[in-house]
Amino acid sequence: MGILNITPDSFSDGGFFMSADKALAQARRLERDGAAIIDVGGESTRPGAQPVSLQEELDRVLPVIEVLTREISIPVSIDTSKPQVMSAAVRAGANMVNDVYALREPQAPETIAKLGVPVCLMHMRGEPRTMQQHPSYDDVVSDVKEFLRDRIAACVGAGFNVSRIIVDPGFGFGKTPTHNLELINRLADFRDLACPVLVGVSRKSSIGAILDRPVDQRLAGSLALTVMALLHGAAIIRAHDVAATVDVIRMVEALAQVR
Ligand code: 7PJ
């Protein structure tokens, strides 16, 4: 899953893809580099980020989704927590919803049930503005799993098929670097949720903290975590550096063929 941020403040590529033609050029590049999905987001969820209004988010993402639907052939995912954005984006051609808030906004599960598209439910403790203030868990893996199990149940209760649900432990969302590493090390534990697991580690601050690298020097760290996530069963990797990530995936798949 290649990342296409349509935000002025995204921490690693902020402001570069604000116009629809720049977004299209970047999307073509992600597709050429081997992405299977493009994730379009109009609201930054990085630590400390402020929320954006509904209208602002619609104005950012809808023109981009419309042009991507026409011009590229891989599925488009809309990264949003707002049910109105989910509906408008799917009407404009988006093929799936990626919600870092796991459909906890009122009406979000009912909206997805009606739209009938796949959805990624991600774990986040708190909200982006405050989530990195003293994250603590009894056991991060069981706590995150329990949250995801509850969200799966809420979605199935709202009427949608469990086969359309993807889960994500939410690397970097209300977690310390140690919590994040533990989630990767024990990712195989998420298998009993019986949903494909998506993981997003790309360029994140835990990598910066461990390696003491700025955001433009975290590729090796991101790829190291990607290998581990794949070995522990990740089905989808969300990444900025698609060409390198696809090589890692192909290499790990080649290894798995041999045993
Ligand atoms: C994630 C995401 C993630 C999913 C972001 C960033 C922050 N969606 N959206 N999983 N991260 N599903 O890209 O650094 O990890 S925004």
Side-chain angles (χ1 to χ4, degrees):
M1 172 183 270
I3 300 170
L4 185 57
N5 282 321
I6 318 295
T7 58
D9 60 342
S10 307
F11 78 99
S12 60
D13 54 1
F16 292 169
F17 305 118
M18 279 292 279
S19 70
D21 49 328
K22 281 196 185 141
L24 175 60
Q26 174 65 3
R28 285 200 210 280
R29 180 166 163 195
L30 296 172
E31 183 176 31
R32 182 166 16 94
D33 286 348
I37 306 170
I38 293 187
D39 190 38
V40 175
E43 172 167 46
S44 174
T45 43
R46 76 194 164 100
Q50 299 292 327
V52 298
S53 73
L54 171 62
Q55 195 56 50
E56 174 71 21
E57 197 177 335
L58 289 170
D59 290 346
R60 288 178 187 177
V61 299
L62 288 184
V64 172
I65 288 172
E66 280 162 15
V67 73
L68 296 195
T69 309
R70 278 200 311 274
E71 302 288 337
I72 66 169
S73 46
I74 55 178
V76 172
S77 153
I78 173 70
D79 185 342
T80 190
S81 300
K82 297 187 180 76
Q84 301 95 323
V85 177
M86 296 171 187
S87 298
V90 170
R91 258 185 271 120
N95 308 89
M96 83 172 254
V97 170
N98 173 29
D99 185 4
V100 299
Y101 209 62
L103 304 185
R104 282 180 287 163
E105 285 293 328
Q107 292 307 309
E110 293 76 12
T111 301
I112 293 291
K114 239 180 274 154
L115 294 171
V117 293
V119 66
C120 177
L121 305 174
M122 195 196 79
H123 174 271
M124 167 166 53
R125 169 69 59 86
E127 51 175 297
R129 211 166 40 78
T130 54
M131 67 188 176
Q132 291 308 106
Q133 297 165 6
H134 319 294
S136 102
Y137 297 86
D138 288 336
D139 174 275
V140 68
V141 174
S142 354
D143 289 9
V144 168
K145 263 177 79 174
E146 190 173 292
F147 169 89
L148 291 172
R149 202 175 272 124
D150 285 352
R151 295 312 303 152
I152 293 169
C155 293
V156 170
F160 67 98
N161 196 310
V162 68
S163 73
R164 289 205 307 265
I165 301 176
I166 296 157
V167 293
D168 183 337
F171 188 100
F173 286 85
K175 288 139 191 134
T176 63
T178 306
H179 292 140
N180 289 321
L181 295 183
E182 211 174 326
L183 285 168
I184 299 294
N185 264 342
R186 293 170 59 199
L187 200 66
D189 287 11
F190 287 83
R191 274 187 197 140
D192 27 278
L193 296 176
C195 295
V197 175
L198 187 156
V199 176
V201 298
S202 189
R203 303 181 186 173
K204 282 186 178 171
S205 63
S206 286
I207 298 170
I210 291 159
L211 301 180
D212 192 20
R213 299 281 185 223
V215 68
D216 61 346
Q217 291 170 33
R218 296 179 189 165
L219 177 57
S222 303
L223 296 177
L225 292 178
T226 296
V227 171
M228 290 310 287
L230 291 167
L231 291 175
H232 291 144
I236 303 174
I237 304 293
R238 185 179 179 278
H240 301 86
D241 302 285
V242 168
T245 303
V246 168
D247 273 0
V248 164
I249 292 169
R250 292 175 56 204
M251 210 63 227
V252 170
E253 280 176 349
L255 277 169
Q257 296 299 308
V258 176
R259 289 289 166 204

